[in-house]
Amino acid sequence: SDSYRLIALLSLTTELIMTSKRRNNGRSKKGRGHVNPVRCTNCARCVPKDKAITKFVIRNIVEAAAVRDIAEASVYDTYALPKLYHKLMYCVSCAIHSKVVRNRSRQMRKDRTPPPRFIPQRRN
């Protein structure tokens, strides 16, 4: 009868504790009950804002091939071309498909250091 009690006790504890794949359950919502959804830029799927994978893109409005032509034709000798700032928000499946993020092993998932930031070099 003691072994039956032990088995019943073990089954209760295993039912209460459920394994979690990620420490934050794939979201950054701590203490908030609900987060407003955003639309995926690729497929327009509704994704909670804290779950969406964001990528901030800063590009020149003019492509690199035409920069020299514009500089030669411009009246001003030093004119800073405007940049295009765009915040891309992806759902998890589109971010994986377009290789914004990759799946990582269980050991690598514990590593929470952010990826190295790309800082463009300024020309003088």
Side-chain angles (χ1 to χ4, degrees), residues 31-73:
R32 285 180 276 278
H34 183 262
V35 178
N36 288 332
V38 294
R39 303 307 287 257
C40 173
T41 54
N42 193 33
C43 67
R45 181 185 200 164
C46 264
V47 192
K49 188 179 179 185
D50 61 315
K51 189 175 188 172
I53 290 105
T54 57
K55 182 181 176 185
F56 196 65
V57 177
I58 304 169
R59 293 188 308 162
N60 286 329
I61 287 179
V62 183
E63 59 197 25
V67 170
R68 201 181 80 217
D69 298 337
I70 290 172
E72 287 174 1

Side-chain angles (χ1 to χ4, degrees), residues 79-90:
Y79 176 69
L81 285 168
K83 293 189 181 293
L84 192 71
Y85 299 94
H86 196 61
K87 192 171 194 178
L88 303 171
M89 293 192 153
Y90 293 101

Side-chain angles (χ1 to χ4, degrees), residues 99-117:
K99 297 178 181 173
V100 176
V101 290
R102 299 172 71 185
N103 59 346
R104 301 189 292 172
S105 66
R106 182 179 291 181
Q107 199 61 37
M108 288 297 292
R109 264 185 248 136
K110 293 184 190 313
D111 180 27
R112 293 167 56 89
T113 57
R117 295 190 65 179

